[in-house]
Amino acid sequence: MHYSGMASMQPEALLRYDPAWAGLSVVVAVALALVSLSIRYRFRRPDTSSIPATFIAAAVMGCAVAGMHYAAMRAALFYPLPSILKLQMALPPTTLAVVITIFTVLIASIALVASFAGRQAELALSLRAEIAERERGEAELIKARHQAEEANVAKSQFLATMSHEIRTPLNGVIGMANLLASTPLNQRQAQLVDNLGRSGRILLALINDILDFSRIEAHELELFEAPFDPREVIAEVSDLFAEQCGAKGLDLIYAVAEDVPLQLMGDSVRLRQVLINLVGNAMKFTERGEILIEVAIAKDAGDELMMAFSVEDTGIGLAADKLDQIFEPFRQADASMTRSHGGSGLGLAITRRLVELQGGEIAVESRLGNGSRFHFTARFRRVASAEPPRVGRHIERPLRTLLVDTNAVSARVTREYLLNWKTEPTVVNNAPKAMAAWEKAKAAQAPFDVAIIDIKGLGASGIDLARTVRAEGQQAGAEIILLVGTNNLAEENDIEALHAFATLTKPARPSALFDSLVSIAAGADGKGVAPLVMRRNSRAAAPSFDARVLVVEDNAVNQEVATGILENMGCRVVTAANGKCAVDRFTRETFDLILMDCEMPVMDGFEAARQIREIEAGGTGTDAPQRLPIVALTAHALAEIRETCLRSGMDDFLVKPFDERQIGEMLRRWIPSHEQAPREKSCAQAEEQIAAFEPAGSVTVIDLAAIDKIRGIHGNNNTSLFERVVSQFADTAPSLAAAIRTQCDAGDTEALWRAAHSLKSSAAALGARRVSERCAQIESLAREAGIIPVRGLIDALDADLVAAQSGLRELLGAEHV
């Protein structure tokens, strides 16, 4: 640029350049330009700013321009025109300009190439640094993953160990509580034992929640597909919570759409777990109103169905800012120290994971103070061999139906069922309206064929309404169907005296209600059509087995629990403290079944089971022992422990804590041929026991030794303790005797012997010996033989009580003389 500019000048002189200085100017420009580029690209660090290097390079480049300029000016030689002939060694300007231009283009090209190369080098350097950083990050991620996997294994091992350690004593707590509940207890003791058992079950549920959450987090929880009846699953959940909801005054209602298939293929256990979590959560936060469970088809894709479930309550609801938190683990809508509702905060988190495992989604709709509605979907498959859903089924003869239901939601659901069955109902919500509708229909010459009456909600007024409807409808052939609660306020004998066509627990199963209406339309008499409500306090006869069982358990408490349960079922029990003792007993004695704990000293259950199987396999001929059922008793609830049990030669798996029902089902499964009829005393045996009882006349009415002990104790202010206890006995004993007679008339065996036990204790403490022994006789007979043999002793008890009170009054009068 400098030389081109000089060539364009037109001075009044001849311009020539000194070749040496001209070359020096070019060298200066090129050298300083290279230095500038090197500073800009070579000395720039990737991890620092490029601004300092840019400023230094710009300064050097400026020096290059200035150096070239002044060197070129030194090379310029100006001669006046007259002296032109004397200059023969200088270059012509045009030639020098061309040469300089060529060199300039060449240098520019080199600079561009160098700049591009420098940029590429910079990019390569940056890329190498980024690759190194990514490799370092990947190595850290791999290391973190390995650490997480090791931590997860450690967590699983910890949970397995802690599960065993907690379940072992918990089995003793729950088992002993159940055994204690089966013994004679007074009302206070029964309440304490019930609280003990309930607390143990709550703790067990918490342990199960933690284990389930851990398995889900470790991706170890798998679904098991099998055919199931969705209606039966919903009904089982309803039955599970019916009594608890009834105790709180809540209505539990469910509605299943008519087009829902009779069978689905899927994991019914996990579906039931989701529904139990949601219904239990709704019940916990609902004090009045109802809980509604609804089931319908969300999407029909041929062989696959997306089912929609919802659980709606009328509870306290949720604030808008809490809706996004409740499905997170260990998060609760009310996490304050003063919260009135407990819980671990895992139920809804587990529920969401289970729903996602079943291919669905879960959400909640709620407003504070207006209840909540949890709804979720789950994917199931159709069962090819299943019957089609009973869509469009109806009752052949239209029935004029009066529906009396105090709960609006329950009435709406039942009305929808009746409408689907082509039955147009008249719906009312109280007894006066029901009587008005009944009279109106009768006046219109169109009386009702059936009345469905909600005894659970109406109580005594429902009993009166049913009695009136039954009396007026007998001539016209009208029938009544009663809806009762499992803990209904009305007396059960009053309900049975109504002779209803069917007595169904509320919520009534749609199939039972439909069958009842069909039978009424067909003119059946109602016997055996629908299940009658079972007495809440009656206990089913325990199963009985004529079997010899070996219980292998190192924990003395758990050994006692298992022995007590088995002996109550008629089994002959032999115990062993470890696996080695169990193997020794097996070689010497004969058993029908072995209950084997897994973790024991000396020899664990796994090794003991393997040795027993080896002994069985080593036998030959007729002496070869048959395969003996071995059932594992373990506090571990993990799938790998179950697999270890089965691999070691065990046949079944029973998780602690277990109860009578689980033991009974297990015995039925493995030794069904040893089951026998429940052991109950016949009336003849009961009469023999009554005859063997010491005659009341030979028993002293008042035990004077007991009276003397009471007289020796002085109360406060030196008052007579004897006078106070006699007065208290006079107040309480007649009511207990009346309760014994009432429960005997009602047929409630358990309530009868409990009342007899209470009177026996108080009479014995006061020295009323004849009353105490009479109550002991009644208690024993009621527990072992039922109500019938007790009836003849009630009048004798009243006479004994009158004699005892008379004797106590005489002793009290003598004390005042």
Side-chain angles (χ1 to χ4, degrees), residues 699-704 707 722 725-727 729-730 733-734 759 762-764 766-775 796-812:
V699 179
T700 305
V701 176
I702 302 296
D703 185 357
L704 296 179
I707 297 298
F722 177 63
V725 295
V726 169
S727 176
F729 182 75
L759 181 56
S762 58
L766 192 57
R769 186 177 175 185
R770 185 182 295 181
V771 173
S772 177
E773 295 197 11
R774 182 75 70 184
C775 289
L797 174 62
D798 291 339
D800 293 339
L801 183 58
V802 170
Q805 290 177 313
S806 176
L808 290 172
R809 283 195 297 270
E810 290 178 2
L811 291 173
L812 186 60

Side-chain angles (χ1 to χ4, degrees), residues 238-239 241-247 249-252 453-459 463 482-492 495 503-508 532-537:
S238 173
D239 292 343
F241 288 97
E243 184 169 356
Q244 301 175 58
C245 288
L250 302 176
D251 278 307
L252 182 58
I453 302 175
D454 175 20
I455 300 296
K456 177 178 182 291
L458 293 174
I463 294 287
L482 304 181
L483 305 179
V484 301
T486 55
N487 52 354
N488 203 71
L489 296 177
E491 293 293 336
E492 291 175 1
I495 294 176
T503 305
L504 310 177
T505 55
K506 190 179 180 182
L532 292 178
V533 62
M534 299 297 294
R535 296 185 185 276
R536 186 168 65 95
N537 292 326

